[in-house]
Amino acid sequence: MSGNIGANPVDATLRGAGTGQALIDALMEEGKREGWSKLYWVTRQNNPARKLYDRFGEADDYVRYRISL
């Protein structure tokens, strides 16, 4: 089992205040308690929060495809 973080944008006035760090830390603890094998999320290439995400690990090589109907 794994955990997937959906879209959870942090309000611009709260960025840099530790909200994202606290969210990921809490999810990691929950995942460990629940026996998840991994935690993952998708973000945009130019997302400033990637500085935070990079502290937890490296981005993988998955590519997302989307078809508009």
Side-chain angles (χ1 to χ4, degrees):
M1 184 180 288
S2 61
N4 177 14
I5 301 174
N8 290 292
V10 173
D11 185 279
T13 61
L14 299 174
R15 290 185 187 142
T19 305
Q21 174 86 40
L23 172 65
I24 295 171
D25 287 342
L27 287 167
M28 288 174 65
E29 286 301 315
E30 177 75 9
K32 289 174 186 175
R33 277 194 307 275
E34 295 297 320
W36 301 349
S37 61
K38 65 183 105 179
L39 177 65
Y40 66 94
W41 59 92
V42 176
T43 192
R44 293 190 181 275
Q45 189 80 8
N46 63 349
N47 185 339
R50 288 191 67 192
K51 288 181 267 182
L52 167 66
Y53 305 156
D54 288 344
R55 287 191 250 154
F56 289 96
E58 296 180 11
D60 60 24
D61 61 342
Y62 280 87
V63 176
R64 180 180 71 150
Y65 291 87
R66 182 175 65 189
I67 300 171
S68 297
L69 303 176

